Amino acid sequence: METEIDTALRRLATADHPGLDGMEDAVLTGVRARREARASVRMAAIAGIGAVMLGTVAAGPGTSPAAAAAPLAPLGSGASLAPSTLLLAER
């Protein structure tokens, strides 16, 4: 007794599908392309980390907290000579 499954299995065993020709080359080409893409992303990440490190080193040490807490004079250091300051001093 032969069923449809036996016929299908026999047909699969004897004939190669035409779409399978060259499939191995296509898969390996895709694997190589993905590997190269990952390598380029890795190199970009390394370059970015190197740029951040170089910028940090080039900036030098930070300023002291005392210098950062100094009052800000937008018009220079002569804010004590401003007319409003001089007029209030006479009262």
Side-chain angles (χ1 to χ4, degrees):
M1 174 165 152
E2 197 166 307
T3 62
E4 292 178 24
I5 294 175
D6 292 332
T7 308
L9 288 175
R10 205 173 290 115
R11 193 175 58 201
L12 283 174
T14 58
D16 288 336
H17 190 276
L20 296 177
D21 292 337
M23 180 182 271
E24 184 177 341
D25 293 333
V27 169
L28 291 177
T29 302
V31 168
R32 275 189 224 108
R34 286 185 185 212
R35 185 180 301 147
E36 290 171 2
R38 274 190 263 136
S40 64
V41 168
R42 190 177 303 128
M43 290 303 293
I46 290 171
I49 291 170
V52 169
M53 289 175 58
L54 181 65
T56 303
V57 169
T63 59
S64 66
L72 184 65
L75 299 176
S77 62
S80 62
L81 299 177
S84 59
T85 307
L86 294 174
L87 289 174
L88 287 175
E90 291 180 12
R91 289 187 186 176

